[in-house]
Amino acid sequence: MATPRSDALVFFGATGDLAYKKIFPALQAMILNDGLDLPIIGVAHSDWDIKKLRARARDSLTQAAKDQGIKFDKDGFEKLSAKLQYVDGDYNDPATFDAIKKALGKAKRPLHYLAIPPSLFGVVAKGLQKVGCADEARVVVEKPFGRDLASAKALNATLHEVFPEQSIFRIDHYLGKEPVQNLLYFRFANTVFEPVWNRNYVESVQITMAENFGVQGRGAFYDDIGAIRDVLQNHLLQVIAMLAMDAPVGSDPESLRAEKLRIFRAMKPVDPKDVVRGQYKGYREVEGVKPDSNVETFVALRLHIDNWRWNGVPFYIRAGKNLPITATEVIVDMKTPPLSLFDEISQKESNYFRFRFNPEVIIAEGARVKKPGEKMRGEPVELVARHHPRPEKSPYERLLGDAIRGDNALFTSDESVEAAWAVVDQVLTHEKPVATYKPGSWGPSEALKIVEGDEGWHDPTPEETSPC
Ligand code: BG6
């Protein structure tokens, strides 16, 4: 069913880090590529004015262009700048919301984007409601959605006092990534996978999200959450859901969300003994981090999914800062052939599927072929279905565009976000201290024990550039 487009964008947290790194570049791209044409009202409590916000937007776009190795687009900046307005004020002060209402002018269906800490969601939602700016509006909220299951439930209840569920868009930028979408497409647009995508053929699944940098000036924020809340409960469980869910009954958002919810509910709560937490040496010296911090910058764990498709198949998940490389990769390891007829094939050498989400996009299948020559001996090869350097559309451009159109397929529902918290709820508080690791290593050695058998972790390596 077609839903009306939002007619203004109000973004809270406009002077913050996320706005600088992701939102301004996404807005410029939406203006240039998709003809986005609506008032954009930045809101923050920073003692700024519109001049300062425009300068910040310019810096952000200059930096984004530099990162992509392209020229700063002056025309794009000017178009964005012309649509920008700014409201400065305390979220507890009703005058801030009066000013937002004034800035909205004739707009009737604003999209409010809350790029602010979850502790402020309630106060902002109520502030908007009081001045009538929540009626017919949509709200986008950033992750992490709460700190644990109980706080996520409380947050859902608070938001539901102001917005109906279909107007709440819980964003997880991983879901807007081209290769994450391709995971779903590739699985369900080909018949060959379904017969083998289960416990009969899959030995184990691994996902590694490695970053070769530390917490990058976000010490205080990060030290309050750690790796499990920052990327595992959301980005990585979402990827597992895409990988493990059953086929939705249709391509409509509701069918997709329904299947995802079923798979989240089938995930067993992670057992604390299946988790290793690590902290890189030097983390405690980062500004904003407590000198005795026990917060993890690395986590490795074993997850089980209790359903007919996956029972008994371990899902190994690992994420960390200051690892040797920046790459996110999934490996679906298939079982070895029942008999090794020609040469011994170990688990490490058996078939696998590889999905790399960044920095490049890769979908590949690992197989063995006979080496030319007289002997029946083989060697590993990779059949590459997709390999390109970087996705064209940024996740924020895609997701904000979807939210403006009212399409919630790639956003997380209230039930799913709670089900995902339920998976990690038992491993959010810790008596055991974190194990330290050397920056540039693959985390603490204890993490090796998470993977059962002799297979070990598949460490992502730098890719050669590929022609296709
Ligand atoms: C964010 C986390 O959600 O995702 C960061 O807060 C992390 O800590 C980032 O670095 C990774 O996203 P991407 O798209 O750069 O892989």
Side-chain angles (χ1 to χ4, degrees):
M1 202 180 61
T3 48
R5 283 178 72 89
S6 301
D7 55 4
L9 173 67
V10 184
F11 82 104
F12 293 81
T15 57
D17 200 47
L18 187 74
Y20 180 83
K21 286 194 184 140
K22 308 280 187 189
I23 311 303
F24 289 122
L27 291 175
Q28 177 183 257
M30 288 163 79
I31 291 171
L32 295 178
N33 306 336
D34 313 320
L36 180 79
D37 187 15
L38 39 69
I40 300 171
I41 303 157
V43 186
H45 187 202
S46 300
D47 221 358
W48 283 25
D49 58 14
I50 182 66
K51 227 172 121 206
K52 205 158 170 196
L53 189 74
R54 289 199 171 117
R56 174 83 163 170
R58 194 191 177 98
D59 282 356
S60 148
L61 299 176
T62 310
Q63 186 60 45
K66 208 164 129 200
D67 293 346
Q68 288 174 53
I70 56 173
K71 242 181 90 200
F72 167 69
D73 186 335
K74 189 161 171 278
D75 180 49
F77 164 69
E78 275 162 12
K79 285 189 174 139
L80 169 64
S81 179
K83 295 187 193 313
L84 266 187
Q85 299 178 59
Y86 180 64
V87 171
D88 196 281
D90 187 336
Y91 300 143
N92 285 301
D93 181 355
T96 306
F97 295 92
D98 291 334
I100 293 172
K101 190 179 169 73
K102 196 163 162 231
L104 277 169
K106 290 205 183 91
K108 292 257 169 315
R109 297 178 307 277
L111 176 76
H112 301 292
Y113 178 14
L114 312 191
I116 50 177
S119 54
L120 295 170
F121 290 174
V123 77
V124 168
K126 298 258 165 66
L128 290 169
Q129 187 180 42
K130 272 197 195 120
V131 294
C133 289
D135 312 335
E136 293 188 58
R138 299 187 174 114
V139 64
V140 176
V141 290
E142 265 298 335
K143 53 126 297 231
F145 189 83
R147 296 188 55 74
D148 52 17
L149 180 56
S151 59
K153 282 185 173 168
L155 211 48
N156 274 331
T158 306
L159 285 176
H160 287 154
E161 283 173 26
V162 179
F163 298 99
E165 176 59 20
Q166 73 269 20
S167 303
I168 303 173
F169 291 68
R170 296 173 193 79
I171 202 166
D172 182 323
H173 81 278
Y174 252 60
L175 290 177
K177 283 184 185 262
E178 180 66 35
V180 177
Q181 303 211 321
N182 214 337
L183 192 58
L184 205 61
Y185 185 89
F186 189 65
R187 279 192 58 203
F188 296 123
N190 297 295
T191 41
V192 292
F193 299 112
E194 192 50 21
V196 298
W197 216 248
N198 55 51
R199 64 192 306 275
N200 299 321
Y201 291 89
V202 176
E203 178 72 20
S204 66
V205 177
Q206 291 198 7
I207 167 162
T208 295
M209 177 182 183
E211 294 178 313
N212 67 359
F213 47 85
V215 293
Q216 289 191 314
R218 297 156 80 215
F221 164 81
Y222 197 89
D223 206 43
D224 193 37
I225 58 173
I228 300 178
R229 291 184 174 95
D230 186 35
V231 297
L232 197 135
Q233 180 272 342
N234 33 72
H235 303 334
L236 298 184
L237 288 189
Q238 290 287 346
V239 170
I240 301 273
M242 296 287 221
L243 195 85
M245 66 191 251
D246 286 341
V249 293
S251 61
D252 57 293
E254 274 324 303
S255 302
L256 183 66
R257 283 156 69 109
E259 279 315 322
K260 269 180 49 186
L261 177 59
R262 267 171 24 94
I263 196 75
F264 279 130
R265 287 192 172 154
M267 293 177 192
K268 275 179 145 168
V270 177
D271 189 327
K273 73 174 173 18
D274 291 341
V275 181
V276 168
R277 297 185 316 121
Q279 186 185 82
Y280 66 81
K281 286 194 184 122
Y283 171 72
R284 291 179 186 177
E285 279 92 71
V286 173
E287 201 190 321
V289 171
K290 288 183 236 41
D292 58 349
S293 171
N294 188 30
V295 162
E296 76 283 350
T297 58
F298 172 97
V299 60
L301 61 78
R302 206 179 301 140
L303 171 79
H304 292 279
I305 301 182
D306 244 357
N307 65 8
W308 277 55
R309 189 192 281 269
W310 296 114
N311 189 35
V313 179
F315 284 72
Y316 303 119
I317 315 179
R318 179 172 66 152
K321 302 274 183 201
N322 262 334
L323 301 188
I325 184 175
T326 296
T328 302
E329 193 163 275
V330 173
I331 302 281
V332 179
D333 254 317
M334 308 308 278
K335 295 194 178 208
T336 51
L339 284 178
S340 291
L341 282 186
F342 310 114
D343 42 9
E344 274 304 315
I345 300 175
S346 68
Q347 186 55 52
K348 268 205 144 126
E349 295 163 323
S350 69
N351 294 146
Y352 63 85
F353 289 91
R354 182 162 75 97
F355 302 89
R356 187 182 272 228
F357 303 147
N358 78 330
E360 323 69 4
V361 177
I362 298 173
I363 299 179
E365 181 192 352
R368 290 183 68 76
V369 289
K370 183 183 162 298
K371 273 190 197 164
E374 300 211 343
K375 289 191 189 138
M376 289 296 269
R377 291 281 176 268
E379 62 183 343
V381 291
E382 257 199 355
L383 314 172
V384 178
R386 172 70 81 224
H387 187 165
H388 57 81
R390 71 165 73 231
E392 280 154 20
K393 215 173 192 167
S394 84
Y396 278 95
E397 182 185 348
R398 183 190 304 259
L399 293 173
L400 286 179
D402 284 358
I404 286 171
R405 283 195 312 279
D407 177 347
N408 65 5
L410 298 178
F411 294 82
T412 312
S413 70
D414 49 354
E415 291 176 304
S416 276
V417 85
E418 289 177 16
W421 276 117
V423 177
V424 294
D425 211 44
Q426 293 183 20
V427 295
L428 294 170
T429 45
H430 320 279
E431 277 153 28
K432 254 175 82 179
V434 280
T436 51
Y437 61 95
K438 241 173 85 195
S441 71
W442 280 106
S445 56
E446 290 87 330
L448 296 175
K449 292 191 213 119
I450 290 291
V451 180
E452 291 151 330
D454 59 2
E455 189 191 341
W457 287 100
H458 295 266
D459 298 335
T461 51
E463 287 292 323
E464 289 161 22
T465 41
S466 158
C468 49

